[in-house]
Short mmCIF file of all heavy atoms in Angstrom, two decimals:
data_model
loop_
_atom_site.label_atom_id
_atom_site.label_comp_id
_atom_site.label_asym_id
_atom_site.label_seq_id
_atom_site.Cartn_x
_atom_site.Cartn_y
_atom_site.Cartn_z
N ASN O 825 7.05 -9.33 -16.98
CA ASN O 825 7.46 -10.34 -17.99
C ASN O 825 8.66 -9.78 -18.83
O ASN O 825 8.60 -8.79 -19.41
CB ASN O 825 6.23 -10.54 -18.99
CG ASN O 825 6.46 -11.54 -20.10
OD1 ASN O 825 7.25 -12.50 -19.86
ND2 ASN O 825 5.98 -11.30 -21.23
N ILE O 826 9.81 -10.63 -18.76
CA ILE O 826 11.08 -10.27 -19.50
C ILE O 826 11.24 -11.14 -20.62
O ILE O 826 11.33 -12.39 -20.47
CB ILE O 826 12.19 -10.25 -18.51
CG1 ILE O 826 11.99 -9.28 -17.30
CG2 ILE O 826 13.49 -9.85 -19.28
CD1 ILE O 826 13.15 -9.25 -16.34
N LYS O 827 11.28 -10.50 -21.87
CA LYS O 827 11.60 -11.41 -23.00
C LYS O 827 12.97 -11.09 -23.48
O LYS O 827 13.30 -9.81 -23.78
CB LYS O 827 10.59 -11.04 -24.18
CG LYS O 827 9.15 -11.48 -23.78
CD LYS O 827 8.17 -11.19 -24.94
CE LYS O 827 6.75 -11.56 -24.63
NZ LYS O 827 5.84 -11.35 -25.73
N LEU O 828 13.82 -11.99 -23.55
CA LEU O 828 15.19 -11.78 -23.80
C LEU O 828 15.83 -12.94 -24.60
O LEU O 828 15.21 -14.10 -24.55
CB LEU O 828 16.09 -11.47 -22.50
CG LEU O 828 16.33 -12.69 -21.62
CD1 LEU O 828 17.36 -12.17 -20.53
CD2 LEU O 828 15.11 -13.14 -20.87
N PRO O 829 16.95 -12.72 -25.32
CA PRO O 829 17.53 -13.87 -26.11
C PRO O 829 17.96 -14.98 -25.06
O PRO O 829 18.34 -14.74 -23.88
CB PRO O 829 18.76 -13.22 -26.72
CG PRO O 829 18.40 -11.71 -26.77
CD PRO O 829 17.56 -11.48 -25.63
N LYS O 830 17.87 -16.22 -25.52
CA LYS O 830 18.17 -17.32 -24.67
C LYS O 830 19.58 -17.25 -24.02
O LYS O 830 19.79 -17.74 -22.96
CB LYS O 830 18.10 -18.57 -25.59
CG LYS O 830 18.17 -19.88 -24.81
CD LYS O 830 17.96 -21.12 -25.75
CE LYS O 830 18.03 -22.42 -24.94
NZ LYS O 830 17.85 -23.62 -25.87
N LYS O 831 20.48 -16.68 -24.89
CA LYS O 831 21.85 -16.52 -24.29
C LYS O 831 21.90 -15.68 -23.06
O LYS O 831 23.04 -15.79 -22.34
CB LYS O 831 22.75 -16.04 -25.40
CG LYS O 831 22.38 -14.52 -25.84
CD LYS O 831 23.30 -14.03 -26.96
CE LYS O 831 23.20 -14.76 -28.30
NZ LYS O 831 21.97 -14.46 -28.98
N PHE O 832 20.93 -14.93 -22.78
CA PHE O 832 21.01 -14.09 -21.61
C PHE O 832 20.26 -14.61 -20.38
O PHE O 832 20.06 -13.94 -19.39
CB PHE O 832 20.40 -12.69 -21.94
CG PHE O 832 21.27 -11.87 -22.89
CD1 PHE O 832 20.73 -10.89 -23.64
CD2 PHE O 832 22.68 -12.08 -23.05
CE1 PHE O 832 21.48 -10.23 -24.66
CE2 PHE O 832 23.41 -11.36 -23.87
CZ PHE O 832 22.89 -10.51 -24.76
N ASN O 833 19.75 -15.80 -20.52
CA ASN O 833 18.90 -16.40 -19.41
C ASN O 833 19.57 -16.42 -18.03
O ASN O 833 18.86 -16.21 -17.04
CB ASN O 833 18.56 -17.81 -19.76
CG ASN O 833 17.41 -17.91 -20.76
OD1 ASN O 833 16.75 -16.92 -21.10
ND2 ASN O 833 17.22 -19.04 -21.44
N GLU O 834 20.83 -16.56 -18.04
CA GLU O 834 21.45 -16.64 -16.73
C GLU O 834 21.49 -15.24 -15.90
O GLU O 834 21.80 -15.30 -14.74
CB GLU O 834 22.89 -17.20 -16.83
CG GLU O 834 23.88 -16.33 -17.61
CD GLU O 834 25.24 -16.97 -17.68
OE1 GLU O 834 25.56 -17.60 -18.60
OE2 GLU O 834 26.14 -16.67 -16.72
N ILE O 835 21.31 -14.21 -16.66
CA ILE O 835 21.32 -12.83 -15.91
C ILE O 835 19.84 -12.37 -15.82
O ILE O 835 19.64 -11.34 -15.42
CB ILE O 835 22.10 -11.87 -16.63
CG1 ILE O 835 21.60 -11.56 -18.09
CG2 ILE O 835 23.57 -12.24 -16.63
CD1 ILE O 835 22.29 -10.37 -18.66
N GLU O 836 18.78 -13.27 -16.04
CA GLU O 836 17.47 -12.77 -15.89
C GLU O 836 17.06 -12.35 -14.56
O GLU O 836 16.36 -11.32 -14.33
CB GLU O 836 16.44 -13.92 -16.34
CG GLU O 836 15.04 -13.46 -16.26
CD GLU O 836 14.07 -14.48 -16.79
OE1 GLU O 836 14.48 -15.49 -17.36
OE2 GLU O 836 12.86 -14.31 -16.69
N SER O 837 17.61 -12.96 -13.50
CA SER O 837 17.34 -12.62 -12.08
C SER O 837 17.96 -11.23 -11.87
O SER O 837 17.36 -10.50 -11.08
CB SER O 837 17.88 -13.63 -11.14
OG SER O 837 19.21 -13.83 -11.32
N ASN O 838 19.09 -11.03 -12.34
CA ASN O 838 19.80 -9.72 -12.12
C ASN O 838 18.90 -8.58 -12.86
O ASN O 838 18.76 -7.51 -12.26
CB ASN O 838 21.13 -9.64 -12.86
CG ASN O 838 22.06 -10.63 -12.23
OD1 ASN O 838 21.65 -11.55 -11.47
ND2 ASN O 838 23.39 -10.44 -12.51
N LEU O 839 18.23 -8.93 -13.96
CA LEU O 839 17.45 -7.90 -14.65
C LEU O 839 16.23 -7.55 -13.90
O LEU O 839 15.76 -6.54 -13.80
CB LEU O 839 17.18 -8.44 -16.11
CG LEU O 839 18.40 -8.60 -16.95
CD1 LEU O 839 17.94 -9.29 -18.36
CD2 LEU O 839 19.12 -7.35 -17.32
N ARG O 840 15.71 -8.71 -13.33
CA ARG O 840 14.39 -8.52 -12.54
C ARG O 840 14.69 -7.63 -11.32
O ARG O 840 13.90 -6.84 -10.93
CB ARG O 840 13.88 -9.88 -12.11
CG ARG O 840 13.25 -10.68 -13.23
CD ARG O 840 12.48 -11.91 -12.83
NE ARG O 840 11.95 -12.57 -13.85
CZ ARG O 840 10.64 -12.33 -14.38
NH1 ARG O 840 9.93 -11.35 -13.77
NH2 ARG O 840 10.13 -12.96 -15.37
N ASN O 841 15.85 -7.93 -10.60
CA ASN O 841 16.19 -7.21 -9.45
C ASN O 841 16.42 -5.71 -9.82
O ASN O 841 16.11 -4.76 -9.02
CB ASN O 841 17.46 -7.71 -8.72
CG ASN O 841 17.17 -9.10 -8.12
OD1 ASN O 841 16.08 -9.45 -7.80
ND2 ASN O 841 18.19 -9.86 -8.06
N ALA O 842 17.05 -5.48 -10.95
CA ALA O 842 17.26 -4.16 -11.34
C ALA O 842 15.85 -3.32 -11.63
O ALA O 842 15.75 -2.17 -11.31
CB ALA O 842 18.10 -4.06 -12.59
N MET O 843 14.85 -4.13 -12.18
CA MET O 843 13.65 -3.48 -12.49
C MET O 843 12.84 -3.10 -11.26
O MET O 843 11.95 -2.23 -11.29
CB MET O 843 12.80 -4.41 -13.32
CG MET O 843 13.12 -4.42 -14.83
SD MET O 843 12.87 -2.72 -15.51
CE MET O 843 11.24 -2.38 -15.12
N LYS O 844 13.13 -3.76 -10.13
CA LYS O 844 12.38 -3.44 -8.90
C LYS O 844 12.67 -2.01 -8.35
O LYS O 844 11.89 -1.53 -7.67
CB LYS O 844 12.85 -4.50 -7.82
CG LYS O 844 12.34 -5.87 -8.04
CD LYS O 844 12.78 -6.74 -6.95
CE LYS O 844 12.29 -8.19 -7.16
NZ LYS O 844 12.78 -9.22 -6.17
N SER O 845 13.72 -1.42 -8.87
CA SER O 845 14.04 -0.06 -8.50
C SER O 845 13.16 0.98 -9.19
O SER O 845 13.09 2.12 -8.81
CB SER O 845 15.53 0.31 -8.89
OG SER O 845 16.50 -0.67 -8.26
N TYR O 846 12.50 0.48 -10.27
CA TYR O 846 11.78 1.45 -11.14
C TYR O 846 10.23 1.27 -10.97
O TYR O 846 9.50 2.01 -11.46
CB TYR O 846 12.23 1.29 -12.52
CG TYR O 846 13.67 1.59 -12.76
CD1 TYR O 846 14.42 0.45 -13.08
CD2 TYR O 846 14.29 2.69 -12.55
CE1 TYR O 846 15.89 0.58 -13.15
CE2 TYR O 846 15.62 2.90 -12.70
CZ TYR O 846 16.48 1.86 -12.90
OH TYR O 846 17.78 2.05 -12.99
N ALA O 847 9.76 0.03 -10.52
CA ALA O 847 8.35 -0.25 -10.56
C ALA O 847 8.01 -1.22 -9.52
O ALA O 847 8.80 -2.28 -9.44
CB ALA O 847 7.84 -0.79 -11.89
N SER O 848 6.99 -1.07 -8.63
CA SER O 848 6.60 -2.06 -7.66
C SER O 848 5.14 -2.58 -8.00
O SER O 848 4.66 -3.46 -7.36
CB SER O 848 6.65 -1.38 -6.28
OG SER O 848 5.75 -0.35 -6.26
N ARG O 849 4.49 -2.07 -9.03
CA ARG O 849 3.09 -2.44 -9.31
C ARG O 849 2.91 -2.19 -10.84
O ARG O 849 3.31 -1.23 -11.38
CB ARG O 849 2.23 -1.72 -8.45
CG ARG O 849 0.72 -2.29 -8.45
CD ARG O 849 -0.04 -1.62 -7.35
NE ARG O 849 -1.49 -2.00 -7.51
CZ ARG O 849 -2.45 -1.04 -7.40
NH1 ARG O 849 -2.14 0.20 -7.08
NH2 ARG O 849 -3.73 -1.33 -7.52
N GLY O 850 2.07 -3.04 -11.39
CA GLY O 850 1.70 -2.88 -12.86
C GLY O 850 2.08 -4.08 -13.67
O GLY O 850 2.74 -4.91 -13.18
N LYS O 851 1.49 -4.19 -14.84
CA LYS O 851 1.88 -5.14 -15.77
C LYS O 851 3.01 -4.68 -16.66
O LYS O 851 2.81 -3.89 -17.48
CB LYS O 851 0.62 -5.57 -16.67
CG LYS O 851 0.95 -6.89 -17.47
CD LYS O 851 -0.25 -7.15 -18.40
CE LYS O 851 0.02 -8.48 -19.20
NZ LYS O 851 1.26 -8.47 -19.88
N ILE O 852 4.24 -5.21 -16.41
CA ILE O 852 5.30 -4.60 -17.05
C ILE O 852 5.95 -5.57 -17.93
O ILE O 852 6.23 -6.77 -17.60
CB ILE O 852 6.42 -4.28 -15.90
CG1 ILE O 852 5.76 -3.36 -14.82
CG2 ILE O 852 7.66 -3.61 -16.46
CD1 ILE O 852 6.48 -3.39 -13.51
N ASP O 853 6.20 -5.13 -19.18
CA ASP O 853 6.82 -5.96 -20.24
C ASP O 853 8.17 -5.39 -20.60
O ASP O 853 8.30 -4.18 -20.91
CB ASP O 853 5.95 -6.01 -21.47
CG ASP O 853 4.68 -6.83 -21.25
OD1 ASP O 853 4.72 -7.98 -20.67
OD2 ASP O 853 3.60 -6.34 -21.66
N VAL O 854 9.14 -6.24 -20.56
CA VAL O 854 10.54 -5.81 -20.85
C VAL O 854 11.06 -6.62 -22.01
O VAL O 854 11.02 -7.83 -21.98
CB VAL O 854 11.49 -5.99 -19.61
CG1 VAL O 854 12.89 -5.49 -19.95
CG2 VAL O 854 10.96 -5.30 -18.40
N TYR O 855 11.44 -5.90 -23.03
CA TYR O 855 11.98 -6.58 -24.33
C TYR O 855 13.46 -6.25 -24.55
O TYR O 855 13.78 -5.05 -24.59
CB TYR O 855 11.15 -6.04 -25.52
CG TYR O 855 9.71 -6.30 -25.40
CD1 TYR O 855 8.85 -5.36 -24.96
CD2 TYR O 855 9.16 -7.54 -25.76
CE1 TYR O 855 7.49 -5.51 -24.83
CE2 TYR O 855 7.72 -7.74 -25.71
CZ TYR O 855 6.91 -6.78 -25.21
OH TYR O 855 5.57 -6.88 -25.14
N ILE O 856 14.33 -7.22 -24.60
CA ILE O 856 15.73 -7.08 -24.73
C ILE O 856 16.15 -7.67 -26.04
O ILE O 856 15.95 -8.90 -26.30
CB ILE O 856 16.44 -7.73 -23.55
CG1 ILE O 856 16.05 -6.96 -22.16
CG2 ILE O 856 17.98 -7.59 -23.78
CD1 ILE O 856 16.58 -7.65 -21.08
N GLY O 857 16.87 -6.89 -26.92
CA GLY O 857 17.23 -7.32 -28.20
C GLY O 857 18.81 -7.27 -28.27
O GLY O 857 19.33 -6.45 -27.49
#
Side-chain angles (χ1 to χ4, degrees):
N825 180 35
I826 299 180
K827 295 182 179 180
L828 71 170
K830 187 177 180 180
K831 60 177 71 70
F832 294 152
N833 281 348
E834 66 178 89
I835 61 169
E836 182 175 352
S837 60
N838 297 16
L839 300 174
R840 287 187 179 276
N841 290 334
M843 277 303 302
K844 291 179 181 178
S845 303
Y846 306 108
S848 60
R849 191 169 168 226
K851 186 180 186 307
I852 306 162
D853 291 313
V854 181
Y855 303 93
I856 298 176

